[in-house]
Amino acid sequence: MENSSILDHIQSDVAKFSLPAFNEIPDIGLYLEQTCQFINQSLAPFSELYLTNSMISNYVKKGIIEKPIKKRYSRQQIARLIFIAFAKPVLSLDNLKIAIKMQDNSYNIDIAYQYLREESINCLEYVYQLKTQLDNIGKTQTAEKEILRNIILAAVHEIYLNSYFSVTK
């Protein structure tokens, strides 16, 4: 397959992608299976960005996310898990804990998730060559936002490479 047609093919994945807004994440308390399903549907069409029930349970056991209340995950926990799905391909568990702690010390979860939402599209469009430079997201530029951007960029580069090579098989 020619390089330009490969790029056209994999760019279609970016066009289909958009994380739900924070207020669109269910806040009725989802059980583990429902939480996992919601996250994986939200991260489609990128198969590298996923979580399993056992992964989520391990993140709870390791203290990376809070224990669910009555086995139900809140909007805030689901937003955090979406971030974890982006970060897990490129960060160790120890670094993931540090990134989350930085995030908690800097921004409320709804604001941090909004940055994740906007920056994921920004990075995807840039890496998939749908635009020539990254946009500045938000009103301020902080070290925490730069770390988030770099985590997302690293994950998106990995997704891009996997997408590219899967089409060329």
Side-chain angles (χ1 to χ4, degrees):
M1 191 180 281
E2 191 177 303
N3 194 29
S4 63
S5 62
I6 292 171
L7 188 58
D8 290 342
H9 181 358
I10 63 175
Q11 283 175 336
S12 68
D13 289 341
V14 175
K16 298 178 217 170
F17 182 77
S18 178
L19 288 175
F22 186 76
N23 63 356
E24 294 172 342
I25 298 172
D27 200 28
I28 56 173
L30 298 181
Y31 288 109
L32 180 60
E33 183 74 29
Q34 295 168 314
T35 298
C36 191
Q37 184 178 22
F38 178 82
I39 291 167
N40 291 335
Q41 286 174 348
S42 298
L43 296 171
F46 302 110
S47 60
E48 294 88 348
L49 302 178
Y50 71 94
L51 294 176
T52 64
N53 293 352
S54 60
M55 289 170 145
I56 294 171
S57 296
N58 284 334
Y59 293 131
V60 171
K61 286 179 193 171
K62 300 236 184 239
I64 294 174
I65 64 164
E66 308 82 30
K67 288 181 86 167
I69 298 172
K70 296 183 181 178
K71 298 184 180 185
R72 292 178 181 248
Y73 291 83
S74 70
R75 175 180 290 158
Q76 292 79 6
Q77 289 167 306
I78 295 168
R80 164 103 3 107
L81 285 164
I82 290 171
F83 166 73
I84 289 170
F86 261 97
K88 76 174 177 57
V90 296
L91 293 181
S92 68
L93 282 179
D94 288 339
N95 288 342
L96 184 58
K97 281 183 181 181
I98 292 168
I100 289 171
K101 188 174 197 117
M102 281 176 62
Q103 179 185 67
D104 288 345
N105 291 336
S106 304
Y107 300 101
N108 292 333
I109 187 70
D110 57 329
I111 293 169
Y113 178 80
Q114 183 61 28
Y115 287 142
L116 170 67
R117 185 172 184 256
E118 292 176 25
E119 197 67 78
S120 64
I121 294 297
N122 188 30
C123 292
L124 281 162
E125 289 175 349
Y126 174 71
V127 170
Y128 278 72
Q129 302 171 31
L130 295 169
K131 63 182 177 183
T132 57
Q133 65 182 24
L134 289 167
D135 298 328
N136 288 323
I137 303 297
K139 295 175 185 167
T140 61
Q141 298 306 312
T142 64
E144 293 79 13
K145 284 175 61 179
E146 191 63 28
I147 292 292
L148 175 63
R149 172 177 276 181
N150 285 318
I151 291 168
I152 295 168
L153 265 174
V156 168
H157 278 290
E158 183 173 321
I159 292 164
Y160 175 85
L161 290 170
N162 289 334
S163 296
Y164 188 93
F165 291 132
S166 72
V167 171
T168 60
K169 286 182 183 178

